[in-house]
Amino acid sequence: MAHSISMLNVIKIYRRLLTKYPLLTQATQAGTLMALGDQIAQNLIERRKIKDLDFVRTAQFGCIGFFLTGPVTRTWYGILDKHIGSKGGIVVLKKVSCDQLLFAPAFLIVLLSAIGILQGNDLEQLKKKLYGEYPDILKNNYKLWPMVQLFNFYFVPLQYQVLVVQLVALLWNTYISYRTSLGK
């Protein structure tokens, strides 16, 4: 009983913060979940020991989430909602099409570039990593995100769409962290 009451309080606080400070709340959740995705990659996929964990890398992922991913996705979803609408099957298909054909390819370049810059890559290294990683990551993007976004845009109210994406992105960020750390 006490557990469910405390969970209800957390949900109330989250809703209040989301209403009062939408951009800050969504940036914070994106930063937290991106950092968590990096830690999952290091702990479960790379199987690093505690002494070998790269906390700078985790902080970098958190910063990318806070300063880039959270604010950009929140703004993008607002633009889609304003210019395409929020209800109906055709609207959802238009939003997913715009999201996957316009936003996803461009945003992946920005994301991978930001990660590469924070890893200390110069322009030549950055270009090489983009040419090596981008096509495969984009292809994998299309295996996951269209279905997620169909669900998200159809069933989820605008103010919770970033949260849904960030929860699914916990796995995606784990994959991105792992992929971009190879051959660093």
Side-chain angles (χ1 to χ4, degrees):
M1 182 72 176
H3 177 60
S4 61
I5 292 172
S6 65
M7 186 53 115
L8 288 175
N9 287 338
V10 169
I11 292 169
K12 280 183 187 177
I13 291 168
Y14 175 76
R15 284 183 177 161
R16 198 172 316 125
L17 289 171
L18 193 56
T19 301
K20 195 167 183 177
Y21 309 103
L23 187 61
L24 180 60
T25 302
Q26 292 174 333
T28 301
Q29 79 191 14
T32 302
L33 291 170
M34 280 195 74
L36 186 56
D38 176 67
Q39 275 299 299
I40 291 169
Q42 289 189 52
N43 284 281
L44 300 179
I45 297 172
E46 298 167 31
R47 299 196 183 278
R48 291 182 180 211
K49 294 179 178 155
I50 290 178
K51 67 178 178 67
D52 297 326
L53 292 175
D54 185 346
F55 291 107
V56 170
R57 184 176 115 185
T58 300
Q60 290 170 339
F61 266 82
C63 287
I64 289 169
F66 183 82
F67 292 107
L68 181 67
T69 305
V72 169
T73 52
R74 183 195 184 283
T75 302
W76 173 244
Y77 295 162
I79 290 168
L80 288 176
D81 212 62
K82 180 180 178 186
H83 293 288
I84 297 176
S86 59
K87 298 274 188 250
I90 298 299
V91 166
V92 169
L93 291 175
K94 286 180 183 178
K95 285 171 114 175
V96 172
S97 296
C98 286
D99 187 65
Q100 292 302 301
L101 297 175
L102 302 174
F103 181 78
F107 185 73
L108 274 176
I109 289 172
V110 171
L111 178 64
L112 296 174
S113 297
I115 292 168
I117 289 167
L118 289 174
Q119 288 174 339
N121 292 316
D122 63 25
L123 190 56
E124 281 307 309
Q125 291 169 311
L126 195 57
K127 282 198 271 187
K128 185 179 176 187
K129 280 186 78 82
L130 280 173
Y131 282 112
E133 295 172 355
Y134 179 78
D136 193 42
I137 292 174
L138 183 63
K139 183 172 65 176
N140 286 326
N141 169 86
Y142 289 135
K143 293 175 184 176
L144 172 67
W145 289 107
M147 288 298 139
V148 170
Q149 293 296 49
L150 280 169
F151 172 85
N152 198 27
F153 293 143
Y154 192 81
F155 292 108
V156 179
L158 177 62
Q159 69 268 27
Y160 301 114
Q161 289 176 357
V162 173
L163 176 61
V164 167
V165 164
Q166 286 303 315
L167 288 172
V168 174
L170 185 56
L171 297 174
W172 179 250
N173 294 335
T174 301
Y175 163 71
I176 295 290
S177 172
Y178 176 69
R179 272 303 303 266
T180 57
S181 70
L182 296 173
K184 202 166 85 164

